[in-house]
Amino acid sequence: MWIQNGTSVNEFILLGFTSHPTLQHFLLVLCLVISLITMLGNSLIIILVWVDYCLHKAMYFFIGNLSLLDIFFTLITVPQMLVHMASWPRSISFNRCMAQLSLTLCCGITECFILALMAYDRYMAICQPLRYPIIMRTEVSMQMAGACWLGGFLNAAALTVITINFPFCGPNKINHFFCEEPAVLQLACMDTYMVKITIFALSVIVLMLPFTFIVVSYIHIARVVLSIQSMEGRKRAFSTCFTHLTVVILFYSTISFTYLQPQSDWAADQEKKASVFYALVSPMLNPIIYSLRNKDVKRALAKVMGKIS
């Protein structure tokens, strides 16, 4: 940790959503309910993918990874947030803040890569159906997912090392409900312009390269699907992509707002509002989207529920 003028920041204060007591209690209950739904829904998806043989396919393996990321992100951010809502002060130690920052970055970056893999899976299934069983076999899918997790970890570690070596000598109030890179970076007591440019460039690479890959994949998918003569065939092909496209839109529409815009006090307030969606709402919606729009998941759920009853 840097020390400047004999002082240093040993802890941060997370300002959270609001200081109004009544609204605070309402948000506490609401966030607790959302986090419980998130944990139950994503755990159910993982269990179904694990126990049902018909879901032992690359697409569902990647969905299971996505659910695991949502669980990890919830466990990293929500418990601390609920404690701060229920008590005072809302302090978090420097080391714990940096650990939370690193882990959330790891989950977010890994999710970018996993979403790109899911687009590749749909591309192979629709555009290269004869090669799909060979290319997307279980061992290859596991290696691809492992590369995504490793890439997320390494990128997050690099960003964390950059951040942790900044001098933090006050103020120590973070305008957020968890330690996130842009919000923490605002408190560094030095000129971080060049570093912000570097982090912005890295964010563009990490976020936009997978997104560009997704867009290109779906351009090829759309070209192949539109060449199908049967309207029923087109609908069936597009339906297999609908859930993935929905999750991509939910994720990128908010995460890009946080990491791909210039930092300012106004932007910090807007970024905090946007992060509510990808930190709380999106992880809750993902398993609902997969279960409601996917016949295989609904069939597997009905089979498991039938065995339990």
Side-chain angles (χ1 to χ4, degrees):
M1 191 189 314
W2 283 67
I3 297 177
Q4 184 169 327
N5 296 330
T7 63
S8 64
V9 170
N10 295 314
E11 66 177 17
F12 293 106
I13 304 297
L14 292 166
L15 298 182
F17 298 110
T18 180
S19 58
H20 193 282
T22 303
L23 184 57
Q24 190 87 332
H25 293 153
F26 170 76
L27 290 175
L28 172 62
V29 175
L30 179 62
C31 292
L32 178 60
V33 171
I34 290 175
S35 62
L36 289 176
I37 295 174
T38 298
M39 296 297 293
L40 289 173
N42 285 287
S43 297
L44 181 60
I45 292 292
I46 293 173
I47 292 171
L48 292 177
V49 172
W50 180 269
V51 302
D52 193 284
Y53 179 78
C54 295
L55 299 184
H56 290 181
K57 302 174 183 177
M59 179 176 70
Y60 299 111
F61 176 70
F62 297 143
I63 289 176
N65 276 263
L66 197 62
S67 293
L68 189 60
L69 284 166
D70 287 338
I71 289 175
F72 283 164
F73 196 94
T74 300
L75 290 175
I76 294 164
T77 58
V78 173
Q80 180 76 52
M81 180 182 67
L82 295 178
V83 170
H84 286 172
M85 285 182 174
S87 62
W88 190 268
R90 302 172 184 173
S91 61
I92 182 171
S93 69
F94 182 90
N95 290 336
R96 189 168 182 175
C97 182
M98 291 300 111
Q100 188 181 66
L101 181 147
S102 178
L103 292 172
T104 53
L105 280 173
C106 181
C107 289
I109 295 171
T110 304
E111 185 160 344
C112 290
F113 296 154
I114 292 291
L115 288 174
L117 265 187
M118 293 172 73
Y120 178 72
D121 173 79
R122 291 300 83 207
Y123 165 79
M124 291 300 302
I126 295 173
C127 302
Q128 305 285 338
L130 297 180
R131 299 178 59 196
Y132 180 80
I134 300 174
I135 300 297
M136 301 305 294
R137 61 187 187 274
T138 302
E139 308 83 54
V140 176
S141 298
M142 293 178 67
Q143 292 172 2
M144 289 180 174
C148 290
W149 284 85
L150 179 61
F153 171 78
L154 293 177
N155 280 279
L159 287 170
T160 304
V161 168
I162 294 173
T163 305
I164 206 169
N165 281 286
F166 287 153
F168 293 95
C169 49
N172 67 336
K173 293 181 179 180
I174 300 176
N175 186 20
H176 214 298
F177 55 93
F178 69 94
C179 291
E180 190 169 34
E181 177 74 20
V184 174
L185 202 60
Q186 291 291 315
L187 302 183
C189 50
M190 64 173 287
D191 184 5
T192 59
Y193 175 77
M194 291 306 300
V195 178
K196 286 179 180 178
I197 293 297
T198 303
I199 292 177
F200 176 81
L202 183 58
S203 297
V204 169
I205 294 172
V206 169
L207 291 175
M208 298 313 297
L209 279 184
F211 182 73
T212 302
F213 183 85
I214 292 170
V215 171
V216 171
S217 297
Y218 274 104
I219 289 174
H220 287 288
I221 289 171
R223 177 177 54 82
V224 171
V225 171
L226 291 175
S227 67
I228 298 175
Q229 300 297 323
S230 167
M231 181 61 70
E232 184 64 28
R234 292 182 186 178
K235 290 175 63 177
R236 186 166 59 251
F238 271 129
S239 66
T240 64
C241 303
F242 180 82
T243 54
H244 177 248
L245 279 173
T246 304
V247 173
V248 168
I249 292 171
L250 290 175
F251 180 78
Y252 272 97
S253 61
T254 52
I255 202 75
S256 298
F257 188 87
T258 300
Y259 286 93
L260 299 181
Q261 68 168 341
Q263 296 298 312
S264 66
D265 292 338
W266 178 87
D269 289 331
Q270 299 303 311
E271 183 272 326
K272 182 169 64 173
K273 295 175 183 177
S275 64
V276 172
F277 198 87
Y278 66 77
L280 294 173
V281 180
S282 184
M284 178 189 68
L285 292 179
N286 286 348
I288 298 175
I289 293 169
Y290 292 132
S291 61
L292 292 181
R293 293 290 305 181
N294 193 293
K295 293 181 180 179
D296 290 338
V297 174
K298 289 191 286 187
R299 179 198 50 76
L301 178 60
K303 184 190 297 186
V304 170
M305 296 304 294
K307 289 181 179 180
I308 294 176
S309 60

